[in-house]
Amino acid sequence: MKFERLDTVDRILLTSEDSKRLDDWWLNIHEGAFNEFRPVLEEGVIIQELDPHLKFDKDFVKAHGLTTSLALLYFKQLDDVRVYYEIYRTIGENQVEHILEGTKNYVELKSDLTINKNNHIGLKIEHAVHYLDAVTSSHIALMNYMELYRDERERVSFQKLRKTKTKKTKKGKKKNTRPINMVVYNIKIPDVHITEEERQAYKKMKEAWKVRGHWRTLPSGKKTWIKPHIKGNKEKLEPNIYHF
């Protein structure tokens, strides 16, 4: 794990209230395709509020600091079927604890993971896979939500930031300073029913998407290379457009 990268990658902010609404939205709009999603972001960290009585205030959003009662889910897309995750949780003022890390295969429905046995939430290895599934479901839902409502700023707003990171050399004398560009997304899920128009837009979004090349493990244990290809209706595939 590299704690310092949590402060350098793009962030997605989600309050506890919006987190609950996101779960409801996802259950009501998808058609069983839990494992199919196009990553809007290939790498980032989801900062999710845990305490329903706390809200992200303006100072937090502006400073992007940490408060208590937050879960942090770092993700990195390895290919179209595998995602690497690291899960953290705040345990005090500006103190972050590593809970677990692992790679999840969304086609073979397998997870390879390790946990911090001294974690403060009492998570045991026999419950780790279920915990990972519960936490990472927000990642799948968010990628779909951000893709569908990418042009609606009242739902998906963002701010581009530029800061510098200073690092000492091995001898501890000189310091190297480099600029870091990052984006902070603020996600809002309104408390409204999903319309038929939204359902049709979501269905159209899922009609075709590109799949990058990746290795697949067969039941025999042998690995085979899957070439890049298109799933769904090729004629309805939209050109590559980066919206954020």
Side-chain angles (χ1 to χ4, degrees):
M1 299 79 58
K2 295 183 178 180
F3 288 91
E4 61 270 15
R5 70 178 163 203
L6 297 180
D7 198 37
T8 62
V9 297
D10 292 347
R11 298 183 176 189
I12 304 174
L13 307 183
L14 195 65
T15 68
S16 59
E17 184 178 357
D18 285 316
S19 179
K20 176 61 171 63
R21 291 176 179 173
L22 179 66
D23 291 340
D24 294 338
W25 174 87
W26 181 230
L27 287 172
N28 283 284
I29 200 168
H30 77 86
E31 297 178 352
F34 275 104
N35 303 320
E36 296 178 357
F37 67 100
R38 292 180 292 178
V40 177
L41 302 177
E42 293 195 352
E43 182 181 22
V45 58
I46 301 170
I47 302 179
Q48 190 171 355
E49 194 176 43
L50 297 178
D51 189 336
H53 301 295
L54 293 177
K55 303 294 180 185
F56 287 127
D57 56 25
K58 293 182 180 179
D59 291 335
F60 170 78
V61 175
K62 183 178 180 180
H64 310 299
L66 296 179
T67 64
T68 56
S69 302
L70 293 175
L72 296 91
L73 174 63
Y74 168 81
F75 61 89
K76 185 173 183 179
Q77 194 82 19
L78 302 179
D79 50 43
D80 277 280
V81 299
R82 296 180 304 134
V83 182
Y84 172 75
Y85 292 107
E86 292 177 6
I87 299 177
Y88 302 84
R89 183 169 175 168
T90 54
I91 57 175
E93 191 67 26
N94 292 327
Q95 293 183 338
V96 180
E97 178 188 53
H98 167 247
I99 303 297
L100 64 80
E101 63 177 308
T103 299
K104 190 170 182 178
N105 188 312
Y106 282 93
V107 170
E108 299 178 0
L109 300 180
K110 294 181 179 180
S111 299
D112 297 320
L113 52 83
T114 57
I115 70 170
N116 172 16
K117 296 181 180 180
N118 298 318
N119 64 82
H120 284 66
I121 64 174
L123 180 66
K124 298 181 180 180
I125 186 64
E126 57 265 29
H127 303 136
V129 173
H130 294 294
Y131 179 79
L132 178 66
D133 290 341
V135 175
T136 56
S137 63
S138 62
H139 174 228
I140 303 176
L142 269 174
M143 294 299 99
N144 280 278
Y145 186 89
M146 293 174 69
E147 173 75 6
L148 184 61
Y149 301 108
R150 62 199 180 200
D151 297 323
E152 298 185 25
R153 290 295 170 254
E154 66 275 11
R155 289 177 179 258
V156 182
S157 61
F158 63 91
Q159 179 184 9
K160 295 182 179 180
L161 299 178
R162 181 182 176 88
K163 60 181 182 178
T164 58
K165 183 177 180 62
T166 302
K167 185 178 181 180
K168 291 183 178 180
T169 60
K170 293 182 178 180
K171 295 182 179 181
K173 294 182 179 181
K174 296 182 179 180
K175 294 182 178 180
N176 297 324
T177 302
R178 61 185 179 89
I180 297 175
N181 296 312
M182 60 186 296
V183 181
V184 178
Y185 299 89
N186 206 332
I187 307 302
K188 293 296 180 184
I189 294 89
D191 187 16
V192 294
H193 293 292
I194 297 173
T195 65
E196 184 59 30
E197 183 180 357
E198 288 174 294
R199 294 183 188 279
Q200 292 301 319
Y202 175 80
K203 184 177 180 180
K204 182 178 180 181
M205 184 182 80
K206 306 300 292 184
E207 285 181 341
W209 64 95
K210 291 182 178 180
V211 176
R212 290 170 294 180
H214 60 275
W215 288 99
R216 176 173 294 173
T217 303
L218 302 177
S220 62
K222 181 181 178 181
K223 291 188 176 181
T224 182
W225 175 252
I226 305 299
K227 295 181 179 180
H229 60 281
I230 296 175
K231 279 191 174 182
N233 191 335
K234 297 181 180 180
E235 296 180 356
K236 295 188 177 182
L237 182 68
E238 295 181 359
N240 287 335
I241 300 176
Y242 295 92
H243 302 279
F244 299 112

